[in-house]
Amino acid sequence: MTRTRLSEPTKTATSGSIAQALSLAIHEHRILPGTKLVEDELAEIYGVSRTVIRAALHSLSHIQLVEIRRNKGASVASPSLVEAHEVFEARELLEPRTAHSAAHFATPADIARLERHIEDEHAALEAADPGRALYLSGLFHNDIAHIANQSTIAGFIETLVARSSLIIALYWRRESALCEKHAHHALVKAIEDKNEKQAEELMRSHLVDLHSALDLKKRSGRVLSLKDALSQ
Amino acid sequence: MTRTRLSEPTKTATSGSIAQALSLAIHEHRILPGTKLVEDELAEIYGVSRTVIRAALHSLSHIQLVEIRRNKGASVASPSLVEAHEVFEARELLEPRTAHSAAHFATPADIARLERHIEDEHAALEAADPGRALYLSGLFHNDIAHIANQSTIAGFIETLVARSSLIIALYWRRESALCEKHAHHALVKAIEDKNEKQAEELMRSHLVDLHSALDLKKRSGRVLSLKDALSQ
DNA sequence: AAAACTTGTATTGTATACAATTATGTGATC
DNA sequence: GATCACATAATTGTATACAATACAAGTTTT
């Protein structure tokens, strides 16, 4: 996954790049669950036809980041509490295993990248940008899945991490995500030490911790205009 | 071009129904890995425009049943041996857990449905229709995943089962699938008895057995014409 | 006033036209 | 005979036009 390019406007938006941009905006909570995603509006914003927008929306709907109802259009998905628990239960099943394998396969370059993720995440929190911190936190988990060298499972985890971002927007009750910093640090340490069993156990407890931080009732969310939310 | 009004309940083919029809054809090995899927040809067969076909192909590409390369079009996916092993490793991670939960949640109606699947599968083998038997065998696994009441994980398993069908087309070396009959029967028995631990263990050993039946080198496959393969 | 109908607008679904790209075949050259 | 160049066909990518559906507001009817 490459970082978003900044200022060159000549980038002809393709359905993939638009899906990625929308996905990032959802990850960072610039557009919240329930927001209607109107095809014409998005086509205008990205300077392409509805055809391309439709492809992007459909690909996001497949990973359940957006929900498409026939003749009703697309909106950012709004997982139920049951789905929320399911997502975290699935993560608790998959990710400890990937942490185990990651501890086996990780190279020094991998370790360095993971540590950079943690630093960036911390910097985003310092800069009062919790949305970006959340996104980076997701990248951290995805990166571990890829290091584990199981691309099929890594693909599943990517969708689970993405949906987790929606869930956090709806059900999160904890004030800061700072507590995660130590958990992530300890995890990297275990992976660096090639302590597979410990990495697995740290990942498991980390996820249980996140899962327990879900609230029981939905939060209300104000919805910004798409133009504003997608202007970067 | 006018649509086919000749037949009675002319189910206006939608992208979903077309995706399902193609998926079934792939499951049943009527169209084999590597087969080119030309949009115009499919549009002609199903009596819709390319727009609808494209949506169907894209949705199949998301679950990796078909592979789409830009400007090159779609073809039935042809997983590498590495991917094949990954798919089965993922199944070995997920499905024992669902078997465990299924044993917990299964109702008598669920048991009856599972047993019907086994019978149908056996009947298909008797009728010398191994493709259909394979499809039904996949349904059996999907059904267990749904009984386990974890729709997120069930969704993952569905894609893994689908890809397994491609893998079997490419790498299967066993003559008959009859051996599975006993495995499936024993599994249902354990679920019926609500013996969670045994169900989990039977599922694990069943999957290890399947995994071990993969050959190391690809088989060559003859490709039929799409019109013939999709005529049902 | 409440319910049902009507009409107008916004939005999505599908087909089609055209542009861009890739694949194919033919002949010239060595 | 092999290989390259180039023209032609086949196929995919994108935009747009139009049809179908849903949504909202106002009007009529009871």
Side-chain angles (χ1 to χ4, degrees):
Chain A
M1 248 172 282
T2 58
R3 198 72 60 84
T4 56
R5 226 178 25 241
L6 298 179
S7 49
E8 279 315 310
T10 44
K11 188 174 87 174
T12 52
T14 173
S15 79
S17 72
I18 292 172
Q20 201 172 331
L22 281 171
S23 169
L24 181 61
I26 294 172
H27 266 281
E28 295 189 351
H29 293 177
R30 298 202 304 280
I31 46 183
L32 296 178
T35 307
K36 186 82 197 295
L37 299 170
V38 178
E39 296 177 358
D40 272 326
E41 202 172 345
L42 292 169
E44 175 80 16
I45 290 173
Y46 290 107
V48 296
S49 79
R50 280 175 52 214
T51 309
V52 181
I53 299 295
R54 281 175 78 84
L57 290 176
H58 274 93
S59 93
L60 291 178
S61 92
H62 181 261
I63 59 177
Q64 290 173 284
L65 268 186
V66 319
E67 186 182 14
I68 295 181
R69 280 164 4 211
R70 187 175 177 83
N71 290 324
K72 298 287 195 64
S75 41
V76 179
S78 189
S80 71
L81 196 58
V82 170
E83 292 172 303
H85 286 303
E86 274 192 7
V87 166
F88 274 92
E89 282 163 24
R91 292 186 64 172
E92 285 160 29
L93 178 55
L94 293 177
E95 294 201 59
R97 163 74 63 105
T98 65
H100 184 105
S101 298
H104 182 77
F105 288 113
T107 68
D110 293 328
I111 303 294
R113 201 173 52 253
L114 288 175
E115 275 169 352
R116 191 140 29 84
H117 276 165
I118 295 178
E119 280 172 31
D120 290 350
E121 189 184 336
H122 193 62
L125 280 175
E126 293 280 318
D129 191 349
R132 177 142 195 90
L134 176 60
Y135 169 70
L136 291 166
S137 161
L139 273 191
F140 179 84
H141 284 259
N142 285 336
D143 213 351
I144 287 179
H146 279 108
I147 292 169
N149 221 25
Q150 277 270 353
S151 61
T152 298
I153 291 175
F156 293 157
I157 289 175
E158 253 176 71
T159 79
L160 292 171
V161 167
R163 295 181 74 190
S164 296
S165 180
L166 297 175
I167 290 164
I168 287 170
L170 289 169
Y171 303 108
W172 193 248
R173 69 177 167 201
R174 204 174 278 174
E175 282 311 305
S176 94
L178 262 175
C179 43
E180 295 193 23
K181 196 193 170 198
H182 295 97
H184 282 189
H185 249 311
L187 192 46
V188 172
K189 189 80 180 168
I191 292 173
E192 187 175 12
D193 295 345
K194 301 211 170 297
N195 189 335
E196 303 173 0
K197 203 77 189 113
Q198 190 184 17
E200 179 174 345
E201 197 45 52
L202 283 171
M203 179 65 93
R204 191 188 320 278
S205 62
H206 175 43
L207 288 169
V208 168
D209 184 41
L210 291 181
H211 192 167
S212 71
L214 295 185
D215 201 346
L216 286 176
K217 48 185 180 298
K218 273 193 193 186
R219 222 187 257 185
S220 67
R222 228 177 54 262
V223 172
L224 299 180
S225 87
L226 276 187
K227 267 205 307 290
D228 294 343
L230 298 173
S231 62
Q232 82 178 28
Chain B
M1 165 177 307
T2 60
R3 260 214 303 281
T4 60
R5 300 208 186 91
L6 16 127
S7 298
E8 335 70 48
T10 314
K11 198 173 64 177
T12 51
T14 174
S15 78
S17 71
I18 292 172
Q20 201 173 334
L22 282 171
S23 170
L24 181 61
I26 295 172
H27 267 281
E28 296 189 350
H29 293 177
R30 298 203 306 278
I31 45 184
L32 295 178
T35 308
K36 186 84 196 297
L37 299 170
V38 178
E39 297 179 357
D40 272 326
E41 203 171 345
L42 292 169
E44 175 79 17
I45 290 173
Y46 291 107
V48 295
S49 79
R50 281 176 51 214
T51 308
V52 180
I53 298 296
R54 281 175 77 83
L57 291 175
H58 274 94
S59 92
L60 290 177
S61 89
H62 285 137
I63 59 178
Q64 300 182 81
L65 268 185
V66 320
E67 187 181 14
I68 295 182
R69 280 165 6 217
R70 186 175 177 84
N71 290 324
K72 298 288 192 66
S75 42
V76 179
S78 190
S80 71
L81 196 58
V82 170
E83 292 170 303
H85 287 303
E86 275 192 8
V87 165
F88 274 92
E89 282 162 24
R91 291 186 65 171
E92 285 160 28
L93 179 54
L94 293 177
E95 293 202 59
R97 164 72 65 103
T98 66
H100 184 105
S101 298
H104 183 77
F105 287 113
T107 67
D110 294 328
I111 303 294
R113 202 173 53 253
L114 288 176
E115 274 169 353
R116 190 139 32 83
H117 276 165
I118 295 177
E119 281 173 31
D120 291 350
E121 189 184 336
H122 193 61
L125 280 175
E126 292 282 316
D129 190 349
R132 177 142 195 89
L134 175 61
Y135 169 70
L136 291 166
S137 161
L139 273 192
F140 179 83
H141 284 259
N142 285 336
D143 213 352
I144 288 179
H146 280 108
I147 292 170
N149 221 25
Q150 276 272 351
S151 62
T152 299
I153 291 175
F156 293 156
I157 289 175
E158 253 176 73
T159 79
L160 292 171
V161 167
R163 295 181 72 191
S164 295
S165 179
L166 297 175
I167 291 163
I168 287 171
L170 288 168
Y171 303 108
W172 193 249
R173 69 176 167 202
R174 204 173 278 176
E175 281 311 307
S176 94
L178 262 176
C179 44
E180 294 192 25
K181 197 193 171 198
H182 297 96
H184 281 189
H185 250 310
L187 192 45
V188 172
K189 190 82 179 164
I191 291 174
E192 187 175 12
D193 296 344
K194 299 211 171 300
N195 190 334
E196 302 172 0
K197 202 77 190 115
Q198 190 184 16
E200 180 174 343
E201 196 45 52
L202 284 171
M203 179 64 92
R204 190 189 321 279
S205 62
H206 174 44
L207 287 170
V208 167
D209 184 40
L210 290 182
H211 191 165
S212 71
L214 295 185
D215 201 347
L216 287 175
K217 49 185 180 297
K218 274 194 195 187
R219 223 186 256 187
S220 69
R222 178 128 305 149
V223 173
L224 299 179
S225 86
L226 277 187
K227 266 204 306 291
D228 294 342
L230 298 173
S231 62
Q232 80 178 30

